[in-house]
Amino acid sequence: MPDGHVGLLEDGGPEARRRRLWGAVWQQHRMPLLPCTSDLVDALSRHGLPPEVIHAIHEASSAVDLVLDAKARSAELERSLQTDDLSAEEEAAAEVEFLPLLAQADMADDLLCSYALTLADNLPVLRNACRAE
């Protein structure tokens, strides 16, 4: 602010909303903050969903978890490769690990779509389970 005080400006744009909703995960990896697979599966199991529904959601969620892990690890490796603190051996090992992680991270959009479609496909079952309680 002109008077030197910090103020909060309401920004209703999509990027500002994503930053507020998903925080560091969005800012660092450009991925939404989703429930971890184990918490999601536990919640679904408590609602008595059919095993095939739980399995499908577990698979889709696990794939997203793995891609987020790949993005985090590749970012970590990239930071370490940009510093000159690595030995030649460590640098070579980091480069070997880095490329497959990048390929895995490139699948994020497809896996997020698959996750969303899996939830959407099973939405009637999810709704019925919630109504039953």
Side-chain angles (χ1 to χ4, degrees):
M1 300 244 144
D3 63 0
H5 289 84
V6 176
L8 178 64
L9 298 175
E10 183 61 36
D11 182 351
E15 181 61 24
R17 280 190 229 119
R18 284 188 285 267
R19 287 174 181 253
R20 285 192 304 270
L21 181 62
W22 298 324
V25 174
W26 177 258
Q27 291 174 18
Q28 294 170 7
H29 307 298
R30 293 294 189 249
M31 288 188 61
L33 180 62
L34 300 172
C36 72
T37 299
S38 61
D39 291 345
L40 183 58
V41 167
D42 288 346
L44 296 173
S45 297
R46 283 193 306 272
H47 286 291
L49 287 155
E52 61 274 6
V53 171
I54 293 173
H55 177 73
I57 293 172
H58 178 271
E59 292 297 308
S61 182
S62 293
V64 171
D65 287 348
L66 289 174
V67 117
L68 183 56
D69 291 345
K71 281 180 166 261
R73 180 64 180 148
S74 65
E76 181 183 311
L77 286 170
E78 187 172 24
R79 280 190 300 276
S80 69
L81 286 168
Q82 289 174 350
T83 65
D84 293 329
D85 297 340
L86 299 177
S87 69
E89 231 175 64
E90 292 170 326
E91 187 174 330
E95 287 173 354
V96 166
E97 183 182 0
F98 185 68
L99 293 176
L101 289 171
L102 277 183
Q104 188 177 0
D106 283 344
M107 297 172 55
D109 290 345
D110 293 337
L111 293 173
L112 285 167
C113 286
S114 178
Y115 177 87
L117 287 171
T118 301
L119 291 176
D121 289 346
N122 291 290
L123 195 54
V125 177
L126 294 167
R127 282 185 179 151
N128 286 338
C130 289
R131 284 187 194 133
E133 291 201 5

